[in-house]
Amino acid sequence: MPATIICIGMAGSGKTTFVQRLNSHLHQKKTPPYVINLDPAVLKVPFGCNIDIRDSINYKKVMEDYNLGPNGAIVTSLNLFSTKIDQVLSIVKKRSDSFKHCVVDTPGQIECFVWSASGSIITESFATEFPTVIAYIIDTPRSANPSTFMSNMLYACSILYKTKLPMIVVFNKTDVRDAQFAKDWMTDFEAFQDSLRSNAELNDETSNGSGYMASLINSMSLMLEEFYSTLDVVSCSAYTGEGFDDFLKAVDDKVDEYNDFYQKERDRIVQEKKDKEKKDKDAQLTHLMKDLGLKDKKKAASGAADKDEVDVLSDLEDEIERDEKAGYEHGLIDLEDSEREYTFQEDRTGEVRDEEDASEVAKSIQQRYQQAFESTAKTASSSVAEDIAKYINGA
């Protein structure tokens, strides 16, 4: 099976140039790779792509249609592309006999790919079908600062535990600065401490060797010491082509590591996921059958189910026929022959009055209303007259 190399790196780390140099290096060795571009916002690609996301998705149109910014449009483009990842994999499978390496270039906005749902779908899809290796590209001259170096290492750590795939840390741009200092920092804790202290003596705005930041970097360097032991570190130059043989050798080693460890772990995780889904599905089906008053066929065959329960309406009819033949009553009512019985009495004169009684009751009620009205009116008029007399006499 061909090895899939997913190149991930910060913007400006030389990731696309690295892919171009790797492509030309493999062509020089007469083993041309299968190249996939997943950056929808790039204007020009310095290498030939077998599959290009720009052929199926228009990045600027996505920004206009969905009213998005640059990063949102990249994420949306990757989401749209990930819906067709099965077709991409089928194309790669058909041509897998003609190449040994499949190189995937990702967007420079690293968070848009690594921490998005589409990035996880694409990565896991390739890792399920092919041995997959993550190549994390680092800008070597920028990593000369201890704090920047530590930030890159934390990114590498998070990507490793997010993807759960073999990783190669590639220190690029070694034609500008040699990456030996970074390798020493990863293998010798005291060397990193010395560099941190010397950086503190500069007393400029880039210094992070004292105070809270120094304590934090020291703690992280101790924490990442075990993490460094699981990484393969390669230094190369995408400009001159130096170190790419070492990178290909590291890829072969990581493919063996993938087949020995990661493939088994991924198979175990996939199997556990399938078992969990099956268990949840069976539980939902059991609850549904219980709510509908149905029973499990397997349990019924083994005699574990209740004999009074029925599966479907046809089973109910069969039981009725058996009971009638045996002389038992099944308790159902024949609606045609049945007569409805009423419980109230036929003589309901106490509830309903005739017309004469109704008229007399109405007259008596009217008389009582009239008497009450007259007495109230007389009382009110007399009280008003008394008040007026008192007011005149008092005046």
Side-chain angles (χ1 to χ4, degrees):
M1 296 293 290
T4 301
I5 305 171
I6 300 178
C7 299
I8 299 175
M10 299 282 189
S13 61
K15 174 173 48 56
T16 301
T17 308
F18 175 85
V19 174
Q20 183 269 335
R21 177 60 66 179
L22 179 61
N23 181 32
S24 62
H25 187 78
L26 291 173
H27 272 87
Q28 185 180 0
K29 289 182 171 295
K30 307 300 181 182
T31 56
Y34 198 86
V35 183
I36 300 175
N37 175 43
L38 295 182
D39 190 353
V42 65
L43 297 178
K44 294 181 180 180
V45 177
F47 49 83
C49 299
N50 299 96
I51 297 177
D52 196 339
I53 189 175
R54 300 176 300 168
D55 295 337
S56 56
I57 297 173
N58 190 333
Y59 170 72
K60 292 184 178 179
K61 190 167 178 35
V62 169
M63 291 181 66
E64 295 175 358
D65 293 345
Y66 297 97
N67 194 21
L68 298 172
N71 289 346
I74 291 176
V75 174
T76 304
S77 299
L78 289 172
N79 291 341
L80 296 173
F81 185 80
S82 64
T83 59
K84 303 296 182 182
I85 190 62
D86 55 338
Q87 299 180 12
V88 175
L89 290 176
S90 64
I91 294 173
V92 176
K93 283 181 184 178
K94 290 179 182 178
R95 293 166 175 76
S96 60
D97 296 334
S98 60
F99 58 88
K100 294 182 179 179
H101 300 89
C102 178
V103 183
V104 181
D105 188 19
T106 60
Q109 287 76 6
I110 187 172
E111 67 279 358
C112 295
F113 180 80
V114 176
W115 282 276
S116 65
S118 56
S120 300
I121 291 171
I122 294 172
T123 303
E124 292 179 2
S125 299
F126 275 101
T128 304
E129 300 294 336
F130 308 102
T132 305
V133 179
I134 302 295
Y136 181 61
I137 316 300
I138 296 178
D139 188 347
T140 304
R142 292 282 298 169
S143 298
N145 187 292
S147 60
T148 306
F149 172 80
M150 188 57 58
S151 299
N152 276 308
M153 291 298 103
L154 289 175
Y155 256 108
C157 181
S158 61
I159 292 171
L160 177 65
Y161 288 104
K162 178 68 171 61
T163 60
K164 295 181 176 62
L165 292 171
M167 175 181 287
I168 302 174
V169 176
V170 181
F171 286 98
N172 194 18
K173 302 182 182 180
T174 55
D175 57 298
V176 179
R177 178 163 184 171
D178 188 26
Q180 187 59 42
F181 73 93
K183 295 179 180 179
D184 294 339
W185 288 354
M186 296 178 68
T187 56
D188 188 359
F189 174 76
E190 294 296 333
F192 181 78
Q193 294 295 319
D194 294 340
S195 299
L196 192 62
R197 283 191 294 269
S198 62
N199 187 56
E201 295 174 358
L202 296 177
N203 293 325
D204 58 5
E205 59 183 5
T206 62
S207 175
N208 295 308
S210 61
Y212 171 76
M213 185 59 68
S215 176
L216 178 62
I217 294 177
N218 287 331
S219 301
M220 288 190 296
S221 62
L222 288 172
M223 178 192 68
L224 294 177
E225 188 174 6
E226 182 67 23
F227 166 70
Y228 295 150
S229 62
T230 62
L231 297 177
D232 282 0
V233 181
V234 177
S235 59
C236 63
S237 173
Y239 182 74
T240 62
E242 179 186 2
F244 276 85
D245 289 331
D246 297 335
F247 174 75
L248 292 176
K249 184 178 181 303
V251 169
D252 294 336
D253 295 338
K254 287 299 179 180
V255 168
D256 295 336
E257 181 180 343
Y258 175 90
N259 294 327
D260 294 338
F261 301 102
Y262 285 85
Q263 182 63 37
K264 296 179 181 178
E265 181 66 16
R266 293 189 68 83
D267 291 342
R268 184 186 65 80
I269 294 174
V270 170
Q271 187 63 37
E272 286 182 355
K273 186 176 181 181
K274 289 181 179 179
D275 294 340
K276 185 177 182 301
E277 290 178 353
K278 185 178 182 301
K279 185 177 179 180
D280 295 340
K281 186 176 180 180
D282 293 340
Q284 294 176 2
L285 182 60
T286 302
H287 290 307
L288 178 62
M289 294 176 67
K290 184 177 180 181
D291 293 339
L292 296 177
L294 306 179
K295 64 180 180 180
D296 194 352
K297 293 282 188 181
K298 296 180 180 179
K299 292 182 178 179
S302 62
D306 190 359
K307 294 182 180 180
D308 293 336
E309 294 179 352
V310 293
D311 286 338
V312 292
L313 186 59
S314 59
D315 295 338
L316 178 61
E317 294 175 352
D318 294 340
E319 290 191 3
I320 292 173
E321 292 179 0
R322 289 196 300 268
D323 292 342
E324 289 179 346
K325 291 180 180 179
Y328 298 106
E329 294 183 357
H330 50 71
L332 298 180
I333 300 174
D334 190 352
L335 297 179
E336 296 181 357
D337 298 335
S338 63
E339 295 182 358
R340 186 179 298 275
E341 296 181 358
Y342 296 95
T343 58
F344 57 83
Q345 298 177 358
E346 294 181 0
D347 184 11
R348 303 182 63 186
T349 56
E351 298 179 4
V352 181
R353 297 184 177 90
D354 54 10
E355 294 181 357
E356 295 180 358
D357 294 339
S359 61
E360 291 178 359
V361 171
K363 290 179 181 179
S364 62
I365 293 175
Q366 186 176 3
Q367 291 175 359
R368 279 183 285 178
Y369 281 151
Q370 185 66 27
Q371 293 174 0
F373 174 74
E374 291 176 356
S375 62
T376 304
K378 290 179 180 180
T379 304
S381 60
S382 62
S383 61
V384 171
E386 291 176 358
D387 293 338
I388 293 173
K390 290 179 181 180
Y391 176 76
I392 293 172
N393 298 327

